[in-house]
Amino acid sequence: MLIDLLKDINPVMLALIATCFTWFMTALGAGLVFFFKNINKKVLDVMLGFAAGVMIAASFWSLLNPAIEMAEASGIPGWIPAITGFLAGGFFLQFVDMILPHLHLGLPREDAEGIKTNWKRSVLLVLSITLHNIPEGLAVGVAFGAVASGSSSASIAGAIALAIGMGIQNFPEGAAVSIPLRREGLSRTKSFMYGQASGVVEPIAGIIGASAVLTMGSALPYALAFAAGAMIFVVVEELIPESQSSGNSHMATAGVMLGFALMMLLDVALG
């Protein structure tokens, strides 16, 4: 079976392969710019909501729940690493959010966050989505690294399910970068290149996550919860507010529900 073959591959290599897939899905979504110059705001809000739903479900089913089970199996109260790691992940992303120059979709250049720079609006938009992708790549890397721990709470099938979920929600994120850039006057090629570039950070974060887990040992539950906290920060700080900002709250919320349901299906069915 394929799963048995994958067990013999180094988890860092598996994390790299998986996050290259999620990067590819970002590029695939960005490629829509070659067919469309505009994207309906309602569609965009549903896509952002969908991405948020996937990340919320993945945070619990693929990260927090295994972290709690691993901690309890080792004799530690499950809530200790879950809360500690979760809050640490959120604080880490808050720190990155405060220093990384970036601009949310639909906002004017003067509303850019992070350290003040003279960077172009297009670069700031790409960095905003790049910020989303840091915890996604980290989560996939940690999930594959956890498999090497031998814990019954971690499985290659579960890690694959997480990678598939992240890849699916990266498709609309790629389009959410490239198509607005095209609308602002960039060429289709430049818009695509900027769009796919927002996903480059995922393989990097994936390798870091998997490598860190292999050297942490008993700190694995904290690492899983850390990745969950980072993802929830992105969802609450960026994805949900952006999806709800244009009066399409009902459709955006439906996107969240669908995304959550799909990720839950993938994790429960495959994991």
Side-chain angles (χ1 to χ4, degrees):
M1 290 179 63
L2 177 61
I3 298 297
D4 294 327
L5 293 175
L6 292 177
K7 289 181 180 179
D8 297 327
I9 301 177
N10 185 287
V12 176
M13 180 59 65
L14 288 176
L16 176 61
I17 295 171
T19 47
C20 281
F21 163 73
T22 60
W23 177 18
F24 169 76
M25 292 299 291
T26 302
L28 202 62
L32 292 179
V33 74
F34 291 108
F35 306 96
F36 305 99
K37 184 176 182 179
N38 295 294
I39 183 170
N40 185 282
K41 194 64 176 71
K42 291 182 179 180
V43 174
L44 178 60
D45 289 342
V46 171
M47 292 163 72
L48 291 173
F50 179 86
V54 169
M55 292 178 72
I56 293 171
S59 295
F60 175 74
W61 295 103
S62 300
L63 300 169
L64 280 175
N65 192 49
I68 293 170
E69 292 179 354
M70 288 178 188
E72 292 177 342
S74 63
I76 302 173
W79 61 268
I80 293 179
I83 292 178
T84 304
F86 183 82
L87 293 178
F91 285 132
F92 170 75
L93 255 291
Q94 184 177 34
F95 174 73
V96 175
D97 185 77
M98 290 171 61
I99 64 173
L100 180 69
H102 63 284
L103 178 65
H104 299 297
L105 295 172
L107 296 181
R109 172 64 178 77
E110 54 268 23
D111 286 344
E113 299 179 8
I115 297 174
K116 300 301 179 183
T117 71
N118 294 321
W119 294 348
K120 293 181 179 180
R121 174 183 170 84
S122 56
V123 174
L124 294 174
L125 286 171
V126 171
L127 288 176
S128 178
I129 302 298
T130 300
L131 183 63
H132 299 180
N133 290 334
I134 293 174
E136 294 170 16
L138 188 64
V140 174
V142 168
F144 277 100
V147 175
S149 70
S151 171
S152 60
S153 300
S155 67
I156 288 183
I160 291 174
L162 178 61
I164 292 174
M166 292 297 100
I168 290 173
Q169 65 95 29
N170 274 357
F171 181 84
E173 281 193 353
V177 178
S178 64
I179 294 178
L181 291 178
R182 173 59 178 162
R183 190 171 59 244
E184 291 187 7
L186 273 70
S187 68
R188 294 183 189 275
T189 300
K190 281 189 175 181
S191 297
F192 168 75
M193 293 304 295
Y194 276 127
Q196 64 83 29
S198 67
V200 171
V201 71
E202 292 206 17
I204 299 172
I207 292 174
I208 292 173
S211 300
V213 165
L214 293 177
T215 59
M216 278 194 222
S218 60
L220 176 56
Y222 295 89
L224 290 167
F226 180 94
M231 288 212 294
I232 291 298
F233 179 89
V234 167
V235 169
V236 178
E237 174 77 7
E238 310 217 5
L239 291 180
I240 289 180
E242 288 175 16
S243 69
Q244 302 275 338
S245 63
S246 301
N248 301 315
S249 60
H250 290 306
M251 298 185 69
T253 301
V256 173
M257 299 294 289
L258 288 172
F260 187 98
L262 177 61
M263 186 64 231
M264 181 168 58
L265 172 64
L266 287 173
D267 199 279
V268 174
L270 298 181

